[in-house]
Amino acid sequence: MDASSSLRWAVYYVALAGVATIVGGGFVVVGMMLGLGAAVNQLLYEGAGFGTVLGTAAPGLVVALLGVFVWAVGSAAAFFTVVAEAVDEQMQERFNGEKVKSDILSVLDDRLSDVEHDIEEMRRKVSEMKREDAANEFDFGDA
């Protein structure tokens, strides 16, 4: 793979992973705003119990964890998508079906030519042997 193609695939991966990071990060920020701010106020200023604070923070924590999950899965999906497409493109470049077919036909043509040459040589030898046998059948006598 050449450098420009590698750079193109790297930029494509960074863009896809960036989208996953932005979306996941948005969920984390929303989750922190939903539950963690109120929970910290309850814990520090109101003196609420740990169970109450955890109950207040739970929805925000769920949304924040969902954001982490979206980021992790999105980044992995971006990686596997880019790798699969890059490998597919590289294989199509390296293993061109028409080129492979042309190479196979060329080899077969060479082999067929060799076989035809061997058959012609065999026919010539058989014809020569028949002529010798025919010549041996004549009895020239012992003059």
Side-chain angles (χ1 to χ4, degrees):
M1 182 179 290
D2 60 346
S4 64
S5 182
S6 297
L7 182 61
R8 179 174 46 91
W9 286 113
V11 168
Y12 184 53
Y13 168 70
V14 168
L16 290 177
V19 169
T21 301
I22 290 170
V23 171
F27 276 107
V28 169
V29 168
V30 167
M32 292 182 82
M33 289 182 353
L34 279 178
L36 295 182
V40 168
N41 282 339
Q42 282 182 347
L43 185 64
L44 295 179
Y45 302 115
E46 297 174 12
F50 186 71
T52 306
V53 171
L54 191 57
T56 303
L61 288 175
V62 168
V63 173
L65 286 175
L66 177 66
V68 171
F69 180 76
V70 166
W71 166 75
V73 170
S75 295
F79 175 76
F80 290 120
T81 299
V82 168
V83 167
E85 289 180 12
V87 167
D88 186 44
E89 178 184 275
Q90 188 68 24
M91 288 297 151
Q92 287 178 358
E93 286 177 10
R94 283 194 180 191
F95 300 111
N96 183 353
E98 291 300 318
K99 184 179 182 322
V100 170
K101 185 170 55 171
S102 174
D103 291 345
I104 290 171
L105 288 175
S106 174
V107 169
L108 288 175
D109 190 41
D110 290 345
R111 296 273 172 101
L112 185 59
S113 176
D114 291 344
V115 168
E116 287 174 345
H117 176 70
D118 291 345
I119 289 173
E120 188 62 36
E121 185 69 23
M122 184 64 77
R123 282 183 182 155
R124 188 185 59 77
K125 286 182 180 181
V126 167
S127 176
E128 196 174 285
M129 286 176 55
K130 284 182 180 178
R131 274 187 265 138
E132 285 178 8
D133 286 343
N136 288 338
E137 287 180 11
F138 289 110
D139 186 22
F140 291 110
D142 292 336

